[in-house]
Amino acid sequence: MALSEARRDGEFDRRTALGLAAKAAIAFTAFAGGTTALRPVRAAADAGDEAELAFAPATDLAARVASKQVSATDLASLFLGRIDRLGPTLNAFTTVMHEQALSQAADLDAKQVRGERLGPLHGVPVVIKDEDHVEGIVTTYGGAAFSVPAAQDSAVVARLRAAGAVILGKTTMPEFGIWAFTESEVHGITRNPWDTTRSTAGSSGGTAAAVAAGLAPMGVGGDGGGSIRLPSSWCGLFGLKPQLGRVSSAPNRELWNNLGVIGCLSRSVGDSALFYDITQGPTPGVDTYIAAPLAGSFVQAAATPPGPLRIAISTKPTSITGTVDAETANALHALGAVLESLGHHVFVGEPDYPDITAAFEPIWLVSPAAESRRADHPELLELRTKELALYAMPFDNPAAREMAANATTDVINRVMPFFDTADVLITPTTPGPAWEAGQLTGMDFHGAALKSLPAASWTNIWNVCGNPAAAIPTGFSASGLPLSAQLIGPPDSELRLISLAAQIEQAQPWSGRRPRVS
């Protein structure tokens, strides 16, 4: 149903909205199925127990370990076994840390036996995108040009470890996260667990595939133009890009200048909320960008209804490259109807999007080019990366950087007034469900760029502006592929987005259906 059919003079018609909400509920019931309470187990001894644990929220797994229903070693063994069995089909990992994970889990079990205080993720396995340092493991950045193991954990990994998380391995990404598809010359194509002929998107595609397939309950991603939200969309996950500067980028001063952030991909809103409570905050003396402190916790926000909100719905792309498909648009409209039925004021609203080329493109070129100069073996960089570095040269000087900064300010000044009239903006996350895998095969820099830009038509502007934005599942296509909407708020509004996302999750739960490769 077209959005115009559910509104009168820009407002949603309540009767039509309720009808759409009912249809949405029926669709979710048909596709998602029911969820069952987890049964107490001592170990994952059979397929039924394994499936329960593999798709349990991280918060539930932490509670199970704390109550001694299952040990950290049991969980590490279970998930490592799943990675060994299913990982080759998906090609989601660059490094699987068998010995290190089991050793860390054993240490955590010993700590529990000694009666020491347990962290909020005690014994919970997580995976790390291969651009964040894990001590003793090579950070490949998705390519073959690095060979020296990291001397220490990055800030986000250190905080997860301190909370008791067990690091299972490093996940695939396109080289330096440049492209919207998780494909590289050395690591190959990462495949979508819902349909292995389809892409996971990128650049956090390895993390997305692993979490969606039950190879880990949550994982670390990064987002410089949509790289958390795009793979969350195509793999049926919740993925919040936090406010610029919310999570420390240490040991780096920043990630892609003002564009990049570190964040979480998870199957539930509550798991992402816990992740951000654990990882938020700067590293003093390191981070260039530091977000304003929040008034409460993410976990509290996930447990608290948001109250009535002014919610704008828009399918308008931010650039001429974007075209939304009918199933994605219909699911977006149905979500608007659900929100209307929950008491929110839902209306059609279209921000005045400016052309972001002058703000985004120079940073998108210069930042990975600078990362490539740190390579241990620059001769092993992908040809596309070498070509990017050449195109970046005219922008790699103070005058060009100042022009990009001024263009960023212009974009922010033009877009932010929209949030005077809307508490949340909801758009598509991606143009449609997952595209075919192999998008970058045979592509040079120009070809890869032309493939990638349309996929990010609703996401990259929010990296320029810095606003928090989240991908949230909205159902499934007729072919069984996940659909997604993007929730965007004004600066520093993560708690509002988490609260609203949790309300949506309760109204139309999405985690009951499992992908084909699981």
Side-chain angles (χ1 to χ4, degrees):
M1 178 178 290
L3 186 59
S4 59
E5 294 180 57
R7 59 170 175 161
R8 291 177 180 169
D9 297 325
E11 302 293 331
F12 263 56
D13 175 79
R14 178 170 291 275
R15 181 177 299 176
T16 305
L18 290 173
L20 279 171
K23 292 178 182 178
I26 292 170
F28 265 89
T29 301
F31 278 116
T35 57
T36 57
L38 292 174
R39 300 188 306 271
V41 294
R42 294 186 180 277
D46 57 44
D49 291 338
E50 176 183 313
E52 273 189 296
L53 291 170
F55 285 90
T59 50
D60 286 0
L61 293 177
R64 283 177 170 273
V65 176
S67 62
K68 300 182 180 179
Q69 296 178 47
V70 65
S71 70
T73 300
D74 289 334
L75 289 183
S77 297
L78 181 149
F79 282 101
L80 287 168
R82 288 180 62 82
I83 291 170
D84 289 342
R85 188 169 71 254
L86 302 176
T89 299
L90 300 174
N91 189 30
F93 288 84
T94 57
T95 304
V96 181
M97 298 166 52
H98 292 91
E99 293 182 6
Q100 299 94 324
L102 290 171
S103 176
Q104 187 187 1
D107 289 344
L108 290 168
D109 286 335
K111 179 179 179 179
Q112 186 172 9
V113 169
R114 293 193 298 268
E116 297 180 25
R117 183 177 180 181
L118 307 184
L121 284 177
H122 184 90
V124 176
V126 301
V127 295
I128 310 296
K129 185 179 180 182
D130 209 353
E131 63 184 358
D132 290 292
H133 294 330
V134 174
E135 183 179 354
I137 305 297
V138 176
T139 306
T140 74
Y141 298 95
F146 291 83
S147 60
V148 178
Q152 62 184 23
D153 290 337
S154 65
V156 67
V157 172
R159 292 172 187 182
L160 289 170
R161 279 198 205 270
V166 175
I167 311 302
L168 296 178
K170 307 293 290 296
T171 56
T172 50
M173 57 184 288
E175 191 164 61
F176 299 111
I178 298 168
W179 312 112
F181 312 100
T182 303
E183 304 174 13
S184 70
E185 291 177 0
V186 64
H187 298 297
I189 297 171
T190 298
R191 298 186 178 275
N192 195 315
W194 295 95
D195 180 345
T196 55
T197 69
R198 302 286 178 147
S199 173
T200 59
S203 62
S204 306
T207 293
V211 173
L215 308 186
M218 63 163 61
V220 175
D223 195 313
S227 291
I228 288 173
R229 291 159 289 161
L230 302 181
S232 292
S233 173
W234 283 1
C235 293
L237 303 175
F238 177 75
L240 170 67
K241 179 195 86 69
Q243 176 70 34
L244 176 65
R246 180 67 59 207
V247 177
S248 175
S249 59
N252 300 303
R253 295 189 60 81
E254 74 272 327
L255 300 176
W256 283 20
N257 196 353
N258 63 304
L259 296 180
V261 298
I262 297 170
C264 179
L265 294 84
S266 66
R267 293 189 300 270
S268 73
V269 176
D271 283 355
S272 281
L274 180 57
F275 174 95
Y276 286 110
D277 275 342
I278 290 167
T279 60
Q280 69 170 317
T283 299
V286 177
D287 292 292
T288 298
Y289 301 99
I290 299 175
L294 298 174
S297 82
F298 283 82
V299 169
Q300 289 173 339
T304 305
L309 297 173
R310 301 168 300 166
I311 298 177
I313 303 283
S314 174
T315 59
K316 176 184 177 182
T318 64
S319 70
I320 60 173
T321 61
T323 302
V324 66
D325 85 320
E327 288 183 303
T328 297
N330 288 341
L332 187 70
H333 305 158
L335 174 60
V338 170
L339 293 169
E340 178 78 8
S341 73
L342 292 171
H344 299 291
H345 173 55
V346 181
F347 62 98
V348 177
E350 296 184 344
D352 181 18
Y353 295 126
D355 183 349
I356 66 168
T357 301
F360 181 83
E361 187 172 296
I363 306 303
W364 175 66
L365 290 169
V366 168
S367 298
E371 291 175 335
S372 73
R373 290 195 290 271
R374 304 201 304 257
D376 303 318
H377 306 282
E379 71 279 6
L380 298 181
L381 292 169
E382 291 186 2
L383 177 60
R384 287 186 293 257
T385 301
K386 295 175 181 178
E387 291 173 338
L388 176 144
L390 292 175
Y391 283 104
M393 292 177 65
F395 302 101
D396 197 4
N397 59 76
R401 289 175 183 271
E402 183 177 0
M403 290 179 64
N406 291 337
T408 297
T409 299
D410 291 342
V411 171
I412 292 171
N413 289 340
R414 186 160 160 184
V415 173
M416 287 308 105
F418 181 80
F419 291 102
D420 293 336
T421 60
D423 300 310
V424 175
L425 169 65
I426 301 184
T427 74
T429 308
T430 48
W435 298 351
E436 291 184 0
Q439 293 288 321
L440 301 185
T441 301
M443 291 291 169
D444 61 4
F445 168 78
H446 281 293
L450 290 174
K451 288 274 190 177
S452 294
L453 290 176
S457 291
W458 285 269
T459 57
N460 56 13
I461 191 171
W462 306 112
N463 295 83
V464 172
C465 294
N467 297 44
I472 188 167
T474 55
F476 295 85
S477 70
S479 60
L481 295 172
L483 303 172
S484 179
Q486 182 180 208
L487 313 180
I488 307 111
D492 302 306
S493 63
E494 292 104 314
L495 300 185
R496 180 187 300 166
L497 296 185
I498 285 284
S499 180
L500 179 61
Q503 186 181 51
I504 294 170
E505 182 181 32
Q506 184 175 14
Q508 49 181 43
W510 57 73
S511 62
R513 191 181 185 195
R514 296 171 187 171
R516 295 166 187 166
V517 179
S518 63

